[in-house]
Amino acid sequence: MNVILLAPPAAGKGTQAEILTSIYNLDHISTGDLLRNAANDDSIFGKELKQIMESGNLVSDDIVLEVLNRHLDTIDSFNLLLDGFPRNIYQAEKLDEILGQKNSKIDYVFLLNVPKDILLFRITGRRLCKNCGKVYNVNIASVKPEREGVCDICGGELFVRHDDNESTFNTRYDEYLKQTSPLIDYYKQKGILYEIDSSVDRDDTFAQIKKILEKTEF
Ligand code: AMP
């Protein structure tokens, strides 16, 4: 099966992706992570990419699709958990084409709903492990690291993403409303959109997703 997590920034896509891939046989594909890797090299392209991402704007469709296709070439069977892709209608249509060529399709789109004020509260507390990528939040007791600045799992150093600040958050949120939210109707019309209240905590969010997957699992 192929699953999309659709959500505004800091709604919990990464956290749910972690849980879902640990339970179901899915390949987690985060275009944000793929792009951050691509932006890490010292080339002019890498620097430009970094600048766009740090501003909170979306990267061009051509670049995202290039990075995504390169990654998909390394995967044999399509059981994808897409996190951060598609971000607009054009990308969604391209994704349908890519999957169609593999006789595959999207089965579930989970829309994680969270009010804007909670998103902002979450984003300012988000910390990630430099080593294993585990996501923490210093503002939320249930997902706070045991030792400040240190990953509970691997002992790696925790860091704050450059785009996790209030001003970039506002740009990212506006981009979500303008470009990504039209996908809600796109997938509603296909009958595969499932709305999830992601405002409580990760276990509550996951319980709602699990209930839907277990009712109709492929
Ligand atoms: P994320 O990790 O999903 O929050 O993405 C971080 C940043 O990467 C976004 O603010 C965009 O600049 C860029 N990005 C990630 N996925 C996409 C996408 N599908 N289309 C365009 N830009 C993207």
Side-chain angles (χ1 to χ4, degrees):
M1 67 174 174
N2 296 298
V3 177
I4 291 175
L5 294 176
L6 187 63
K13 288 192 306 277
T15 304
Q16 292 307 314
E18 233 174 61
I19 305 175
L20 282 161
T21 44
S22 72
I23 296 179
Y24 301 96
N25 182 26
L26 295 167
D27 276 309
H28 178 199
I29 299 185
S30 155
T31 44
D33 285 347
L34 294 176
L35 290 165
R36 273 183 287 279
N37 279 343
N40 249 343
D41 78 63
D42 241 358
S43 62
I44 295 176
F45 169 74
K47 283 183 185 141
E48 279 176 5
L49 199 51
K50 203 173 198 163
Q51 212 172 21
I52 298 169
M53 292 173 76
E54 287 180 7
S55 73
N57 289 305
L58 291 184
V59 171
S60 78
D61 292 331
D62 286 352
I63 292 176
V64 178
L65 283 160
E66 163 83 25
V67 169
L68 176 69
N69 277 318
R70 232 186 283 156
H71 184 75
L72 291 178
D73 283 345
T74 66
I75 293 177
D76 298 330
S77 73
F78 273 29
N79 284 296
L80 309 179
L81 177 65
L82 291 156
D83 156 5
F85 186 93
R87 283 285 229 283
N88 58 35
I89 299 279
Y90 177 76
Q91 292 181 7
E93 288 170 348
K94 284 283 166 198
L95 179 62
D96 289 342
E97 266 176 51
I98 294 168
L99 293 176
Q101 283 160 8
K102 304 266 178 188
N103 291 321
S104 194
K105 62 176 178 38
I106 296 295
D107 302 296
Y108 299 94
V109 178
F110 293 111
L111 170 66
L112 309 184
N113 286 318
V114 184
K116 191 178 176 188
D117 55 336
I118 298 183
L119 293 172
L120 183 58
F121 174 74
R122 284 186 186 172
I123 218 152
T124 50
R126 181 152 71 176
R127 303 288 182 273
L128 287 100
C129 175
K130 262 188 187 162
N131 189 38
C132 71
K134 171 119 183 105
V135 186
Y136 296 90
N137 200 303
V138 296
N139 290 340
I140 304 168
S142 60
V143 285
K144 214 174 163 165
E146 273 169 27
R147 272 199 300 149
E148 202 186 308
V150 181
C151 177
D152 295 349
I153 309 290
C154 71
E157 189 188 336
L158 303 186
F159 73 102
V160 179
R161 261 172 55 172
H162 283 297
D163 53 354
D164 280 352
N165 59 68
E166 184 166 353
S167 122
T168 308
F169 166 76
N170 284 323
T171 309
R172 289 162 74 195
Y173 192 79
D174 289 347
E175 286 281 65
Y176 172 77
L177 291 183
K178 209 167 49 191
Q179 305 227 37
T180 309
S181 68
L183 291 176
I184 297 171
D185 276 343
Y186 182 85
Y187 289 119
K188 234 182 219 169
Q189 278 165 19
K190 290 179 185 281
I192 51 173
L193 186 98
Y194 300 87
E195 296 212 34
I196 305 292
D197 173 3
S198 189
S199 64
V200 179
D201 61 28
R202 70 173 176 186
D203 294 341
D204 181 73
T205 301
F206 179 64
Q208 296 172 60
I209 294 178
K210 188 166 174 252
K211 207 165 154 190
I212 292 161
L213 286 174
E214 287 181 356
K215 228 193 286 174
T216 51
E217 205 177 328
F218 286 63

